[in-house]
Amino acid sequence: MNPVTPLDTSTQHDQHGLWPQAESVEDFRRNIAVVQSRIAAACQRVGRDPAGVRLLPVSKTKPEATLRLAYAAGCRDFGENKPQEAYGKWEAMADLTDLRWSVIGHLQTNKAKLVARFAAEFQALDSLRLAEALDRRLQAEGRSLDVYVQVNTSMEDSKYGLNPDDVAPFLRALPAFSSLRVRGFMTLAMLSAEAARVRECFVRLRELRDRLRQTAPAGMALDELSMGMSGDYEIAIEEGATIVRVGQAIFGARSTPDAHYWPTAGAGEGEGR
Ligand SMILES: *Cc1c(COP(=O)(O)O)cnc(C)c1O
């Protein structure tokens, strides 16, 4: 188990790379139970009902066989960052009819077609061009999609997501895309060991949501806040997260550096694949 650090002073972002690999159904059961109990404890600290927090296991980079172990341990949702990797796993695991796939990473418009075909939700909506492309593909498939608007709350140039000031006009444009059901917001906090700086990002997203709720287009509920990952999900819950996206604390460390998913400053768009 990971060393427990006092949440008020530090995150577990420096623990990345230390989580042991889950290699059996039993490993998954234990890891999920640990995460669930920490979710419950975080909820208790702030007087929230743990039923109001959804745990989204993030399976990126892990092979199909490992996802099947997680499934046997009870996972029915999988979060994937890259649309092609997710699509491949969806095809390979089509025998498991109760799986829900959540795409949580940046999407190029030319991959909208893939996501429209299989995803249950998309958490990284950050442009109207992409909304238009997704809507057109979804209409063609006769499907609809739960979407989350990604907001850059860390103010780092390197992060994807809308600037908080641009979110209100963005929301006003979304009802034109009738196959997208806007559920709320998603953010990646600063990857810092300092809890206070990470917490600020989560507070910023919650306050933005609370403010925009009052002016949101009719029928747009904005109930959901997808924020928090292995290193910081307890802080996110204390600040109102309704979805936490947890990979390494359930699956084990990834060998792929996070920069592969979140381009670092100056690295450009980092597209590819
Ligand atoms: C990989 C990923 C996560 C999960 O990160 P962990 O450190 O494995 O918990 C959360 N959100 C997004 C967008 C990701 O790409």
Side-chain angles (χ1 to χ4, degrees), residues 16 58 60 81 104 229-230 245-248 254 262:
H16 282 206
V58 175
K60 70 191 188 202
N81 187 296
I104 60 177
M229 45 198 268
S230 293
R245 310 176 307 269
V246 178
Q248 297 176 94
R254 281 183 302 274
W262 315 311

mmCIF file of all heavy atoms in Angstrom, residues 16 58 60 81 104 229-230 245-248 254 262, ligand 1:
data_model
loop_
_atom_site.group_PDB
_atom_site.id
_atom_site.type_symbol
_atom_site.label_atom_id
_atom_site.label_comp_id
_atom_site.label_asym_id
_atom_site.label_seq_id
_atom_site.Cartn_x
_atom_site.Cartn_y
_atom_site.Cartn_z
ATOM 1 N N HIS A 16 3.824 8.555 -8.239
ATOM 2 C CA HIS A 16 3.673 7.980 -9.577
ATOM 3 C C HIS A 16 4.839 7.063 -9.864
ATOM 4 O O HIS A 16 5.973 7.385 -9.609
ATOM 5 C CB HIS A 16 3.629 9.089 -10.636
ATOM 6 C CG HIS A 16 2.292 9.764 -10.698
ATOM 7 N ND1 HIS A 16 1.809 10.380 -11.828
ATOM 8 C CD2 HIS A 16 1.335 9.902 -9.773
ATOM 9 C CE1 HIS A 16 0.605 10.871 -11.582
ATOM 10 N NE2 HIS A 16 0.311 10.602 -10.332
ATOM 11 N N VAL A 58 -9.173 4.017 -14.711
ATOM 12 C CA VAL A 58 -8.508 4.435 -15.952
ATOM 13 C C VAL A 58 -7.508 3.351 -16.377
ATOM 14 O O VAL A 58 -6.536 3.078 -15.685
ATOM 15 C CB VAL A 58 -7.806 5.795 -15.760
ATOM 16 C CG1 VAL A 58 -7.019 6.175 -17.016
ATOM 17 C CG2 VAL A 58 -8.837 6.875 -15.437
ATOM 18 N N LYS A 60 -5.776 3.011 -19.364
ATOM 19 C CA LYS A 60 -4.871 3.290 -20.492
ATOM 20 C C LYS A 60 -3.529 2.576 -20.329
ATOM 21 O O LYS A 60 -3.043 2.450 -19.204
ATOM 22 C CB LYS A 60 -4.668 4.795 -20.651
ATOM 23 C CG LYS A 60 -3.865 5.429 -19.541
ATOM 24 C CD LYS A 60 -3.955 6.940 -19.631
ATOM 25 C CE LYS A 60 -3.007 7.590 -18.651
ATOM 26 N NZ LYS A 60 -3.407 8.964 -18.325
ATOM 27 N N ASN A 81 -7.457 7.263 -22.465
ATOM 28 C CA ASN A 81 -7.053 8.587 -22.921
ATOM 29 C C ASN A 81 -7.029 8.697 -24.446
ATOM 30 O O ASN A 81 -7.423 9.717 -24.996
ATOM 31 C CB ASN A 81 -5.679 8.916 -22.319
ATOM 32 C CG ASN A 81 -5.249 10.332 -22.584
ATOM 33 O OD1 ASN A 81 -5.049 10.696 -23.733
ATOM 34 N ND2 ASN A 81 -5.119 11.142 -21.547
ATOM 35 N N ILE A 104 -11.273 10.055 -22.092
ATOM 36 C CA ILE A 104 -10.964 11.169 -21.191
ATOM 37 C C ILE A 104 -9.814 12.028 -21.699
ATOM 38 O O ILE A 104 -9.377 12.936 -21.006
ATOM 39 C CB ILE A 104 -10.640 10.648 -19.760
ATOM 40 C CG1 ILE A 104 -9.436 9.707 -19.774
ATOM 41 C CG2 ILE A 104 -11.857 9.946 -19.168
ATOM 42 C CD1 ILE A 104 -9.017 9.227 -18.383
ATOM 43 N N MET A 229 -7.315 12.327 -9.615
ATOM 44 C CA MET A 229 -6.721 11.094 -10.125
ATOM 45 C C MET A 229 -5.935 10.445 -8.996
ATOM 46 O O MET A 229 -6.084 10.867 -7.842
ATOM 47 C CB MET A 229 -5.876 11.401 -11.356
ATOM 48 C CG MET A 229 -4.991 12.606 -11.209
ATOM 49 S SD MET A 229 -4.444 13.194 -12.803
ATOM 50 C CE MET A 229 -2.926 12.278 -12.921
ATOM 51 N N SER A 230 -5.134 9.419 -9.305
ATOM 52 C CA SER A 230 -4.519 8.646 -8.211
ATOM 53 C C SER A 230 -3.832 9.521 -7.165
ATOM 54 O O SER A 230 -3.927 9.259 -5.977
ATOM 55 C CB SER A 230 -3.502 7.644 -8.776
ATOM 56 O OG SER A 230 -4.158 6.668 -9.533
ATOM 57 N N ARG A 245 -11.098 9.972 -11.592
ATOM 58 C CA ARG A 245 -10.525 9.134 -12.647
ATOM 59 C C ARG A 245 -9.228 8.537 -12.119
ATOM 60 O O ARG A 245 -8.210 9.216 -12.053
ATOM 61 C CB ARG A 245 -10.255 9.982 -13.900
ATOM 62 C CG ARG A 245 -11.439 10.850 -14.351
ATOM 63 C CD ARG A 245 -11.058 11.725 -15.523
ATOM 64 N NE ARG A 245 -9.877 12.527 -15.298
ATOM 65 C CZ ARG A 245 -9.895 13.759 -14.792
ATOM 66 N NH1 ARG A 245 -11.024 14.361 -14.490
ATOM 67 N NH2 ARG A 245 -8.763 14.409 -14.599
ATOM 68 N N VAL A 246 -9.282 7.265 -11.725
ATOM 69 C CA VAL A 246 -8.154 6.681 -11.010
ATOM 70 C C VAL A 246 -7.559 5.514 -11.810
ATOM 71 O O VAL A 246 -8.231 4.521 -12.068
ATOM 72 C CB VAL A 246 -8.595 6.204 -9.608
ATOM 73 C CG1 VAL A 246 -7.427 5.548 -8.873
ATOM 74 C CG2 VAL A 246 -9.145 7.385 -8.792
ATOM 75 N N GLY A 247 -6.315 5.686 -12.215
ATOM 76 C CA GLY A 247 -5.622 4.651 -12.976
ATOM 77 C C GLY A 247 -4.642 3.868 -12.125
ATOM 78 O O GLY A 247 -4.898 2.749 -11.678
ATOM 79 N N GLN A 248 -3.502 4.488 -11.849
ATOM 80 C CA GLN A 248 -2.381 3.755 -11.247
ATOM 81 C C GLN A 248 -2.680 3.166 -9.872
ATOM 82 O O GLN A 248 -2.150 2.101 -9.534
ATOM 83 C CB GLN A 248 -1.167 4.668 -11.165
ATOM 84 C CG GLN A 248 -0.701 5.086 -12.552
ATOM 85 C CD GLN A 248 0.449 6.065 -12.529
ATOM 86 O OE1 GLN A 248 1.604 5.670 -12.611
ATOM 87 N NE2 GLN A 248 0.138 7.326 -12.393
ATOM 88 N N ARG A 254 2.230 3.051 -14.532
ATOM 89 C CA ARG A 254 2.400 2.956 -15.987
ATOM 90 C C ARG A 254 3.856 3.224 -16.328
ATOM 91 O O ARG A 254 4.493 4.071 -15.709
ATOM 92 C CB ARG A 254 1.556 4.023 -16.697
ATOM 93 C CG ARG A 254 0.101 3.712 -16.824
ATOM 94 C CD ARG A 254 -0.605 4.811 -17.594
ATOM 95 N NE ARG A 254 -0.459 6.109 -16.981
ATOM 96 C CZ ARG A 254 -1.265 6.562 -16.012
ATOM 97 N NH1 ARG A 254 -2.259 5.825 -15.576
ATOM 98 N NH2 ARG A 254 -1.059 7.747 -15.497
ATOM 99 N N TRP A 262 -0.317 14.357 -21.637
ATOM 100 C CA TRP A 262 -0.481 15.783 -21.389
ATOM 101 C C TRP A 262 0.794 16.455 -21.838
ATOM 102 O O TRP A 262 1.776 16.490 -21.113
ATOM 103 C CB TRP A 262 -0.712 16.041 -19.896
ATOM 104 C CG TRP A 262 -1.698 15.100 -19.312
ATOM 105 C CD1 TRP A 262 -2.941 14.796 -19.815
ATOM 106 C CD2 TRP A 262 -1.540 14.300 -18.145
ATOM 107 N NE1 TRP A 262 -3.549 13.872 -19.020
ATOM 108 C CE2 TRP A 262 -2.721 13.555 -17.984
ATOM 109 C CE3 TRP A 262 -0.518 14.167 -17.204
ATOM 110 C CZ2 TRP A 262 -2.901 12.661 -16.932
ATOM 111 C CZ3 TRP A 262 -0.708 13.298 -16.156
ATOM 112 C CH2 TRP A 262 -1.891 12.561 -16.035
HETATM 113 C C1 LIG B 1 -4.274 8.826 -17.062
HETATM 114 C C2 LIG B 1 -5.323 9.786 -16.698
HETATM 115 C C3 LIG B 1 -5.877 9.804 -15.414
HETATM 116 C C4 LIG B 1 -5.481 8.837 -14.316
HETATM 117 O O1 LIG B 1 -4.191 9.064 -13.850
HETATM 118 P P1 LIG B 1 -3.593 8.108 -12.702
HETATM 119 O O2 LIG B 1 -2.381 8.788 -12.240
HETATM 120 O O3 LIG B 1 -3.279 6.820 -13.397
HETATM 121 O O4 LIG B 1 -4.644 7.934 -11.693
HETATM 122 C C5 LIG B 1 -6.859 10.747 -15.140
HETATM 123 N N1 LIG B 1 -7.268 11.619 -16.075
HETATM 124 C C6 LIG B 1 -6.757 11.629 -17.321
HETATM 125 C C7 LIG B 1 -7.262 12.621 -18.315
HETATM 126 C C8 LIG B 1 -5.770 10.718 -17.682
HETATM 127 O O5 LIG B 1 -5.272 10.723 -18.917
#
